[in-house]
Amino acid sequence: MLREPVQHLPLPAQRLLSFWNDARQGGDAPSVSAADPPKLREWLADISVIDFHPGAKNLCIRMQGNNVARNIGDYHARGGYLEDLIPLAAQPLVLAPYHEARRRRRPAYSVLQSGLLEGKFDKFERLILPFSQPSTGECDHFIVWVGPTHRDVIVCESIYSPPLVQVTQSRLLPKIAKLVIIE
């Protein structure tokens, strides 16, 4: 459970997390119908919409905001898969939060530091929000807020209860990513 207040998250991410929490019915992820573009207008430039597809490649880009494409790389090809666009060495760190958010049906927050992906952000934060299909109950839709940061990762982590999963680290690229599942 988030500790109150969530003031260490950037304000746009706080508001998007509140939107997600308000859309929930019970303790589960909200329905994909809650991810209606007019309701997301405030964040459109700073979000990506990703769909999960079963198979060899899972994470399909449905939409990417202009700020996201401009600042972390030109990954906005509609219908493209993150698995094709993210360098192979970076995939475990970049893609793991999606799989954890899907599996746990909870938001995942991560900080990716420089050297992992090319782009204008030296270091950036991601808030990955899962949405479920009413017909299957599966979380196969994500709204992902991305914003630049120069903050200390430890300060960012301090707003959460202890993580449900260990912090993701890479032996080849140490100290470049942190992952927290938000309860």
Side-chain angles (χ1 to χ4, degrees), residues 8-9 109 111 113 123 125 149-160 178:
H8 293 292
L9 278 175
Y109 168 78
V111 176
Q113 295 185 15
K123 183 167 71 170
E125 301 176 51
T149 189
H150 298 289
R151 299 185 302 153
D152 183 346
V153 174
I154 294 170
V155 171
C156 296
E157 286 183 341
S158 69
I159 64 172
Y160 303 103
K178 300 286 183 187

Side-chain angles (χ1 to χ4, degrees), residues 127-147:
L127 179 62
I128 299 173
L129 303 169
F131 291 81
S132 64
Q133 287 294 337
S135 59
T136 64
E138 292 293 321
C139 285
D140 61 0
H141 187 80
F142 304 96
I143 301 295
V144 184
W145 178 87
V146 176

Side-chain angles (χ1 to χ4, degrees), residues 27-43:
D28 209 359
S31 168
V32 70
S33 64
D36 185 26
K39 294 177 186 174
L40 298 168
R41 182 178 51 214
E42 172 185 352
W43 304 282

Side-chain angles (χ1 to χ4, degrees), residues 54-65:
K57 298 175 188 174
N58 302 130
L59 299 168
C60 182
I61 300 169
R62 177 185 280 181
M63 186 281 294
Q64 192 155 38

